[in-house]
Amino acid sequence: MALISPSTPSEDYGELQRLVDDLYRQSASGSVKRVDVIIRAEVNDLPEDLMEVVNLLPSGSYKRARLCDQLNSIITAHGWAFLYGTVE
């Protein structure tokens, strides 16, 4: 990760929101599996920090609200909410 001033969001700010939007745009069932999230994150070529967030997801299937809660929890635990944004 490049050194970033704590008062400046990352150039990758919002990438996780785009990931979530992409996942549920393509999900007919309204649910995605952890492996689907990881594969889509790799396809979207997320940076290392955001791949770490995705890889920390517990196994299982996720409706959008639950996935957002999990991702936001991980982002907040790392102290990265300001740098990368949260998801909804």
Side-chain angles (χ1 to χ4, degrees), residues 70-87:
Q70 289 288 331
L71 291 172
N72 287 337
S73 180
I74 296 165
I75 293 165
T76 302
H78 279 78
W80 291 341
F82 182 77
L83 285 177
Y84 297 116
T86 56
V87 293

Side-chain angles (χ1 to χ4, degrees), residues 58-74:
S59 295
S61 291
Y62 295 92
K63 296 287 187 185
R64 186 179 182 118
R66 182 167 176 247
L67 177 63
C68 291
D69 288 345
Q70 289 288 331
L71 291 172
N72 287 337
S73 180
I74 296 165

Side-chain angles (χ1 to χ4, degrees), residues 3-6 8 12 25-26 36 45-46 49 57 59 66-68 75 80-81 86:
L3 292 178
I4 299 171
S5 168
T8 306
D12 297 311
R25 187 176 304 117
Q26 298 174 1
D36 298 327
D45 197 27
L46 292 186
D49 286 347
L57 282 171
S59 295
R66 182 167 176 247
L67 177 63
C68 291
I75 293 165
W80 291 341
T86 56

Side-chain angles (χ1 to χ4, degrees), residues 2-72:
L3 292 178
I4 299 171
S5 168
S7 63
T8 306
S10 168
E11 64 186 36
D12 297 311
Y13 187 93
E15 286 298 319
L16 283 177
Q17 184 64 58
R18 282 186 277 286
L19 171 71
V20 169
D21 291 343
D22 289 348
L23 284 164
Y24 289 96
R25 187 176 304 117
Q26 298 174 1
S27 173
S29 69
S31 182
V32 296
K33 295 181 180 173
R34 177 182 183 265
V35 68
D36 298 327
V37 180
I38 292 170
I39 291 169
R40 173 54 65 179
E42 289 173 351
V43 167
N44 287 7
D45 197 27
L46 292 186
E48 185 178 328
D49 286 347
L50 297 181
M51 283 304 300
E52 181 179 337
V53 169
V54 170
N55 284 315
L56 287 171
L57 282 171
S59 295
S61 291
Y62 295 92
K63 296 287 187 185
R64 186 179 182 118
R66 182 167 176 247
L67 177 63
C68 291
D69 288 345
Q70 289 288 331
L71 291 172
N72 287 337

